Amino acid sequence: MTAPDAATPPVTPRGDALLAATDLTKHFPVTRGIFLQRQVGAVKAVDGLTFDIARGETLGLVGETGCGKSTTGRVLARLLDPTSGRIDFDGRDITRMSQRELRPLRRNVQMIFQDPYSSLNPRHTIGTIISAPLRLQGISTPGGVKRAVQDLLALVGLSPEHYNRYPHEFSGGQRQRIGIARALALRPKLIIADEPVSALDVSIQAQVINLLEDLQHELDLTYLFIAHDLSVVRHISDRVAVMYLGTIVELTGRDELYAHPAHPYTLALMSAVPIPDPQVERTRERILLTGDIPSPLNPPSGCRFHTRCWKAQEVCRREIPLLRTIRPGHQVACHFPEERADAVAHDQVTVERTTS
């Protein structure tokens, strides 16, 4: 087993993408001292991401808790300023735009948050919550704001008569539908969904996922879908990006990823997913990752996964693997990726388990 050609060029975003991130980083400074605070380090939450999302596509972003998925979503929405790198949206560089310059952009990029309980103001009615984006952007609607809100409620499967109710009068799934209606109020082009179903019962998750898919087809939406549940990601995504400790380690089409995972970390995640076939489940090999996830404050040198990887060699400790194309449409950041014939197919993935 030999390392691939180091001269292989890194992957660059496609020119026709709706959203493109190039070498995107977000570091949170760590300071010491009460009065004269000096920086003594930085938490490298996002560290050099390069990817894109085509118009009408759903890109799933998966990884363990703390890998930087939610921070990535907030940086792309410009709720957080990037430390370095570039963000292009609809052909425009939005990386260093001021808040005033970003105001029109807010109409085209919206977020759905993870917790439907904390993302809605309990003191406001549903009508006030959903109409807030319209008021802030100064948008007039035919028939008035109330009619527009009631139409949005009907669009997400709620009764228009709920206009004057408060969030505490709704279930978790209904509250998330309210959050979706708020995100749709300005008819955005891109929606960043930050684990939108992880706080919901399993019986409700499928309903919300199906709603998001129907809305995508009806309104021509583009999604960045952040999640940790592999079954949800497989159901809704066109392509999947796997994150580990602030970096993307694998990026490819949904079916290709689940049939032929190439990065050892992806392979370990797949091996932890139970298959609904008792005979296969008993005989297949489980890949157990040893050790804890390194701290993003002081990540390992070289490949960040080498401290837990069973394939690690000296080059892995010394050189950072670039995200490169190993097959058409399949990109991986690994010195020793799995060959197609060696990768284990998982055609009936349903649930993800946490590896440790």
Side-chain angles (χ1 to χ4, degrees), residues 86-134:
R86 174 171 173 148
I87 306 170
D88 291 282
F89 178 78
D90 206 9
R92 299 176 60 194
D93 182 0
I94 66 171
T95 315
R96 302 300 171 191
M97 281 186 175
S98 65
Q99 291 302 315
R100 177 176 295 182
E101 292 173 320
L102 284 171
R103 190 176 183 87
L105 175 73
R106 303 298 183 196
R107 299 181 58 174
N108 292 319
V109 181
Q110 291 290 306
M111 285 197 70
I112 301 172
F113 297 96
Q114 176 178 0
D115 188 357
Y117 295 91
S118 61
S119 62
L120 304 178
N121 192 326
R123 301 181 181 220
H124 291 172
T125 65
I126 299 309
T128 301
I129 291 172
I130 297 178
S131 64
L134 299 173

Side-chain angles (χ1 to χ4, degrees), residues 207-222:
Q207 298 177 20
V208 175
I209 292 298
N210 290 336
L211 172 64
L212 290 173
E213 288 189 313
D214 293 341
L215 292 172
Q216 182 175 35
H217 296 313
E218 184 176 347
L219 303 177
D220 193 25
L221 297 171
T222 302

Side-chain angles (χ1 to χ4, degrees), residues 238-249:
D238 299 303
R239 292 191 303 149
V240 180
V242 181
M243 281 192 72
Y244 181 80
L245 206 63
T247 63
I248 290 179
V249 297

Side-chain angles (χ1 to χ4, degrees), residues 131-324:
S131 64
L134 299 173
R135 296 195 308 271
L136 292 173
Q137 291 286 341
I139 297 176
S140 59
T141 58
V145 172
K146 183 175 181 179
R147 176 63 181 274
V149 172
Q150 290 178 327
D151 289 343
L152 286 168
L153 288 172
L155 185 64
V156 299
L158 296 175
S159 171
E161 304 303 321
H162 293 163
Y163 180 86
N164 289 318
R165 291 190 180 183
Y166 288 86
H168 73 270
E169 300 179 69
F170 296 88
S171 66
Q174 289 175 322
R175 293 187 195 189
Q176 195 60 288
R177 289 173 185 265
I178 294 167
I180 294 171
R182 178 177 58 186
L184 294 174
L186 300 176
R187 292 296 190 266
K189 296 179 181 179
L190 172 69
I191 289 183
I192 299 174
D194 185 8
E195 303 209 36
V197 297
S198 63
L200 306 179
D201 293 338
V202 175
S203 60
I204 305 300
Q205 289 183 6
Q207 298 177 20
V208 175
I209 292 298
N210 290 336
L211 172 64
L212 290 173
E213 288 189 313
D214 293 341
L215 292 172
Q216 182 175 35
H217 296 313
E218 184 176 347
L219 303 177
D220 193 25
L221 297 171
T222 302
Y223 289 146
L224 173 64
F225 193 91
I226 300 170
H228 65 272
D229 189 327
L230 291 177
S231 62
V232 171
V233 170
R234 185 176 193 180
H235 182 76
I236 196 173
S237 300
D238 299 303
R239 292 191 303 149
V240 180
V242 181
M243 281 192 72
Y244 181 80
L245 206 63
T247 63
I248 290 179
V249 297
E250 190 162 3
L251 174 60
T252 187
R254 170 193 59 195
D255 295 335
E256 170 72 8
L257 181 80
Y258 285 85
H260 307 289
H263 196 281
Y265 175 62
T266 308
L267 200 64
L269 288 180
M270 295 295 182
S271 77
V273 178
I275 295 176
D277 185 331
Q279 184 174 357
V280 175
E281 183 68 23
R282 284 194 301 267
T283 57
R284 71 175 182 146
E285 182 181 357
R286 168 78 184 274
I287 299 174
L288 296 176
L289 298 180
T290 59
D292 297 325
I293 302 177
S295 169
L297 183 62
N298 185 27
S301 61
C303 175
R304 296 189 172 182
F305 186 61
H306 84 258
T307 58
R308 307 172 73 194
C309 182
W310 66 94
K311 302 178 70 175
Q313 298 187 25
E314 182 58 33
V315 66
C316 303
R317 301 174 179 87
R318 186 177 65 251
E319 298 179 12
I320 300 175
L322 299 176
L323 189 67
R324 59 188 180 81

